[in-house]
Amino acid sequence: GSASNVGLSADVLALMPQISAACQTHGIPEYAPLVAAVIMQESGGRVADVGGDVMQCAEGMGLPVGTPVNVEESISFGTSIIANNLRLAGAAGPTDIPAISLALQGYNFGNGYITWAQARGGYSKENAREFSEWQAGLHGWSGYGDIDYVDHVLRYYQVSVGGMGDASAIADGRFAYPFPGHTYPGHNGIDISF
């Protein structure tokens, strides 16, 4: 299968050569559409509005939140985090939505979420909520991260599997492809293979 994007802004589309180069450098060339979807979510599609830090990774670079970071550094650093998270999540390719979801939530929460969630069966909205509440409580904060981050990113990401054509990576709030190699069945249920 393969992946592409939907709904990207002109600003994000203009960054595709840099996104592709960073993905190549970090060993994930087939995930350029995923990185573009993250940039769309993190920048709101407006590169100028985020001071160049299109992947909102200043804090991960050891800088105070909101510190200006140039576009190239942000894309390279953010892509390195996504590449590491995809490896930690065991992603099998750009249509492996369960592993991609785990990696994405790890991008938002920090990669400690990945091993925590793997011990609980992988990514789920419920354990994202649990982790968020746990971390907020530990730090005395009113909230922690975005429990809807996966859906927010995947709305810009579509997959094509086995000649079925392009489909959103999410469908009515449910995974379009619950397991690699299995396609969305065309009804409102989720088919699980054993």
Side-chain angles (χ1 to χ4, degrees):
S2 62
S4 58
N5 295 108
V6 292
L8 297 184
S9 70
D11 280 4
V12 175
L13 287 170
L15 296 175
M16 287 309 293
Q18 292 161 288
I19 293 167
S20 294
C23 287
Q24 187 70 37
T25 297
H26 295 290
I28 56 167
E30 68 277 23
Y31 289 98
L34 183 65
V35 172
V38 169
I39 290 172
M40 184 66 190
Q41 175 61 27
E42 294 290 343
S43 71
R46 296 175 305 279
V47 172
D49 290 354
V50 293
D53 192 3
V54 295
M55 296 191 77
Q56 297 296 300
C57 54
E59 185 178 18
M61 298 170 84
L63 303 169
V65 174
T67 300
V69 174
N70 74 46
V71 172
E72 292 78 16
E73 286 178 297
S74 183
I75 292 172
S76 180
F77 187 83
T79 301
S80 74
I81 298 301
I82 290 173
N84 183 57
N85 285 2
L86 289 166
R87 284 189 275 283
L88 287 173
T95 62
D96 185 354
I97 299 303
I100 287 170
S101 298
L102 182 59
L104 286 173
Q105 196 64 63
Y107 187 82
N108 183 255
F109 283 164
N111 67 9
Y113 168 77
I114 295 172
T115 52
W116 181 92
Q118 285 171 325
R120 289 155 180 81
Y123 166 81
S124 73
K125 182 75 66 80
E126 293 75 24
N127 75 26
R129 181 175 289 106
E130 180 184 344
F131 187 87
S132 175
E133 290 170 358
W134 173 53
Q135 288 296 307
L138 281 177
H139 299 289
W141 299 335
S142 61
Y144 182 85
D146 176 2
I147 63 170
D148 295 315
Y149 189 75
V150 171
D151 289 344
H152 289 156
V153 172
L154 292 183
R155 66 186 162 172
Y156 304 113
Y157 189 74
Q158 64 183 13
V159 293
S160 179
V161 178
M164 294 292 292
D166 292 335
S168 172
I170 53 174
D172 296 329
R174 294 176 289 279
F175 292 121
Y177 304 108
F179 289 106
H182 294 81
T183 59
Y184 184 69
H187 58 80
N188 287 333
I190 297 177
D191 289 353
I192 308 283
S193 66
F194 292 86

